[in-house]
Amino acid sequence: MNEIIRLEQIKREFIVGEEVVRALRGVSFTITQGEFVTIMGTSGSGKSTLLNILGCLDVATSGEYYLDGVSVRQMSKNDRATLRNRKIGFIFQNYNLLPKTTSIENVELPLMYNRHVSHSERRERAIAALKEVGLGDRLTHRSNQLSGGQMQRVAIARALVNDPVIILADEATGNLDTRTSYEVLALFQRLHRDGRTILFVTHNPELASFSSRTITLRDGRITSDIRNDRIASAAEVLAAMPKEEEE
Amino acid sequence: MDISNLLKICIKALLNNKMRCFLTMLGIIIGVASVIAMLAIGNGSKQSIRAEIGSMGSNMIMISPGNGRFGGVRQSGSSMQTLKLSDYESIVRQASYIDKITPTVQSSGQAVKGAKNTPTSIYGVNEQYLDIRGYEIASGSCFTESDILHANKVCIVGQTVVNELFSDGTDPLGQTIRFGKIPMKIIGVLASKGYNSMGQDQDDLLIAPYTTVQKRVLAINYIQGITASALSEEYTDQAIDEITKILQTNHNIRIGQDNDFNVRSQQEMMETMSSVMDMLTVLLAAVAGISLIVGGIGIMNIMYVSVTERTREIGLRMSIGAKGRQILLQFLIESIIISVAGGLIGVVLGVAAAKIIALFGTPTAVSTFSIVLSFLVCVFTGVFFGWYPARKAAGLNPIDALRYE
């Protein structure tokens, strides 16, 4: 299996005034292609810092990080920007869609920063990504005309459109109600089955059973790293739920 | 990211905030429009004054008696009797830069024909006066040297006088009118010249031999002035020097003493008027320019607000691969679009305003220079005032920007 992410003794320290805050105190793990990893931890455990480093938004104070075989630590800001553009798909808790902008335009955005993608190819890929997340009938809807679940699915399509080696989701279901959360989770599971590598950061322990592996962080260290052979199906949970309309 | 993508993003962002975008533009629109309109008014007035003065003869030189002392009391120039016919004659004899020259005497009074009369002025000159002032004879002829020699009672009349005295349509040629008590035969009618820049009616006059006016109207033996024309415009200064020297010798004025005469050229007047108008134009443009700066500050203000408001968007763009430079360009281009679009609308409005002002009688002239200038100032304003907000946007940390509430 291809190694997508390799962390070697990643440490990250912040200097706040006189004090040194150690957010990460030596984190090492590897993620191979096709894994669906949940990173769990309470607030202050360092999971956000870890996500920023994995997403090439931040660099470690020490330790090595290889993304798809490339060392990130020595890269310049601009090179990291290009790396993010080509290899990473971000999904945020609050969707971060551009306001008053259509689904297609939102999804096209990452490709706008890639000069090798032509106008027509950009559009085709955006439409394909939106169809993949089941929004083929919402192509020209503006972001303010969509529900929370739909907005998050547009955001997922945006993360898929550049065909990234890994999808980083930060509390992707945090703003959604239970039912929509499971819908989005089911979508993630489908993407996982299709061979995507997904890293899902959450503080919600319930979500762990839906992924193939759970890494738990505490005080900047990994406290457990468990493989899950019996992945629960979000689609089944969804089917078992009473329909909202009937309530 | 190529520039067309960037432009698309910018236009999209601006269209998402049409009202704000328009209001920001308004500052620039008003600034540019007023700069163009003001410069047009300034230029228009200047051009019309130059044209008026030019039509009087730009190489014209006027010699008048200067301020002098009479028993210790300073006298006004017009009451002085220092210019004599001999001065005129010596200039004619000695000056080499002079083309045409005439002595002038002038009087005001009532011109009468039958039951009709009109107040007017009579100019006593020689036959060269018409060429110097640019008058043309529409019908009839000018008086001759013999008329001057004998102080014949003949005159040439201006259109205004003709209109007043011959309103019934009779041909004024050959008719006799009275100026004061002196009967005069009309031998010529002047072509109309209209009003000059000072608002004087240039057709409200009689022209007669200077001897006639001196002897029969005013009963004086001095002259009130000399009007001459230099060989051409560029010889005006030499001509003035020459005349000054001749008159100084004639009047026995020693070095260091005040001249008892003035020599002025039309060109000098034109330059004085032009410089006054230039100053006025600069003043108007400065006032308008200030409003352009205020407009620019408006852009800066809005771009700052916009950067703050769109912090999360900037964070998102960075996280999906936008480089700092691309964010900088995006915001810079947005402010340039606002200022350039505002500038274009301002140019159109400014030109329209100038045309409308012209309809109300104030002469205006829109110069290409003012359009190019204000447009360039606009682009500059966009870059200058857009730079700092754009820098702020580009300098944001994507992690913080994404979390910004």
Side-chain angles (χ1 to χ4, degrees), chain B residues 24 30 38 56 79 90 137 156 171 174 200 206 216 256-257 259 266 297 314 333 353 363:
Chain B
T24 315
I30 293 173
M38 292 302 161
M56 280 191 237
S79 65
S90 48
I137 291 185
I156 306 167
D171 185 4
Q200 276 175 326
L206 301 177
R216 304 192 192 274
Q257 249 181 323
N259 290 340
Q266 197 71 25
I297 293 171
I314 295 164
I333 287 176

Side-chain angles (χ1 to χ4, degrees), chain B residues 149-169:
Chain B
L149 199 62
H150 299 107
N152 283 346
K153 291 179 271 186
V154 292
C155 72
I156 306 167
V157 292
Q159 276 299 333
T160 305
V161 179
V162 172
N163 293 343
E164 292 294 336
L165 299 186
F166 300 94
S167 49
D168 51 359

Side-chain angles (χ1 to χ4, degrees), chain B residues 346-358:
Chain B
V347 165
V348 172
L349 281 186
V351 172
K355 299 265 183 261
I356 292 170
I357 291 167

Side-chain angles (χ1 to χ4, degrees), chain A residues 81 84-85 96 100 105 113, chain B residues 16 312 316-318 320:
Chain A
R84 288 198 294 272
N85 185 246
N96 275 328
K100 301 182 199 169
E105 284 167 330
Y113 292 98
Chain B
N16 277 347
R312 282 249 295 273
L316 169 78
R317 285 181 187 279
M318 285 177 161
I320 60 171

